[in-house]
Amino acid sequence: MKKLLLLCFIWCALCFTVVKAQGVNAETGSAISVQDAKLILNHHNKVRAEVGVKTALEWSSILATYAQEWAEFLASENNCRIRHRTTAEGRQKNYGENIFWGGCCDYYHPIDASIAWYEEKEDYTYGPISSSDYGKTTGHYTQMIWENSREVGVGVAKCADGALIVVANYFPAGNYVGEYPYGGKSTTRPYIYRGY
């Protein structure tokens, strides 16, 4: 029994060391710090409360790990270009996704992604999501305030040139065509618009 407990302890210590070596924070599930995770979560919930959404988002380390994988892929294997995960690349059909790219140096921080998505509010007029919204720049904002979304997780990666990639995943996903982001109104769900 003592040998089994010792082996379990060694195994757990090795797992923790590997996670830390890869830059993943065991508390957040991604490379994002606890402080940055709190800033982003608080900002999202402030934005949601601003429009009357009563349900606060909760942090999900599972979603953060998922977001971290994609952020690292974009930074290292996609030449630091933004691209949404497809079904073929393991995209979960019920995860919403926002992506941010901030170029150069250490100017940008993870919270800047949430702030940039929020700034789309200026271009948003309350109404149901339509298929014509594909060309508009409000999908990040509407995912933030999507009333039925309950969880968020964020991953972050640095590109070789110092640019910052931030990926946020939401569960359940938002931006369904024919539905309102909040207010309990809906029409149909024929298509899903995921934002850019």
Side-chain angles (χ1 to χ4, degrees):
M1 184 68 167
K2 287 182 181 179
K3 285 183 181 180
L4 182 61
L5 288 174
L6 180 61
L7 287 174
C8 288
F9 177 75
I10 291 169
W11 174 254
C12 289
L14 286 172
C15 290
F16 183 75
T17 303
V18 168
V19 166
K20 285 294 187 185
Q22 294 174 349
V24 173
N25 185 314
E27 289 184 63
T28 63
S30 68
I32 210 149
S33 71
V34 172
Q35 180 182 0
D36 284 334
K38 286 179 181 177
L39 285 172
I40 291 169
L41 184 61
N42 289 341
H43 185 254
H44 271 66
N45 286 329
K46 178 182 172 193
V47 168
R48 291 166 69 83
E50 194 175 83
V51 294
V53 174
K54 292 178 175 49
T55 307
L57 290 174
E58 293 182 12
W59 186 266
S60 166
S61 59
I62 293 169
L63 289 175
T65 299
Y66 186 74
Q68 184 64 39
E69 291 170 2
W70 194 243
E72 289 175 6
F73 170 81
L74 294 175
S76 63
E77 298 180 40
N78 200 50
N79 298 319
C80 200
R81 291 187 314 247
I82 292 177
R83 180 166 61 91
H84 283 284
R85 196 181 305 224
T86 65
T87 305
E89 293 157 331
R91 179 169 187 147
Q92 302 294 324
K93 66 179 182 177
N94 206 22
Y95 288 177
E97 185 173 80
N98 281 348
I99 302 177
F100 170 86
W101 176 90
C104 182
C105 320
D106 290 323
Y107 180 78
Y108 292 99
H109 302 282
I111 187 63
D112 292 321
S114 190
I115 292 168
W117 300 329
Y118 172 68
E119 289 173 353
E120 293 176 2
K121 180 181 181 178
E122 295 174 14
D123 299 321
Y124 177 69
T125 303
Y126 181 73
I129 302 297
S130 71
S131 56
S132 65
D133 287 332
Y134 280 96
K136 295 183 180 175
T137 58
T138 58
H140 300 107
Y141 172 68
T142 53
Q143 175 58 80
M144 290 177 77
I145 61 171
W146 200 264
E147 188 169 32
N148 291 334
S149 293
R150 298 290 186 253
E151 299 176 318
V152 65
V154 179
V156 61
K158 285 275 190 174
C159 301
D161 65 359
L164 182 74
I165 296 277
V166 179
V167 176
N169 285 116
Y170 303 82
F171 178 80
N175 289 335
Y176 285 96
V177 171
E179 292 197 10
Y180 289 77
Y182 58 92
K185 299 177 184 177
S186 68
T187 53
T188 60
R189 294 181 117 175
Y191 307 102
I192 297 175
Y193 168 64
R194 299 282 190 210
Y196 294 96

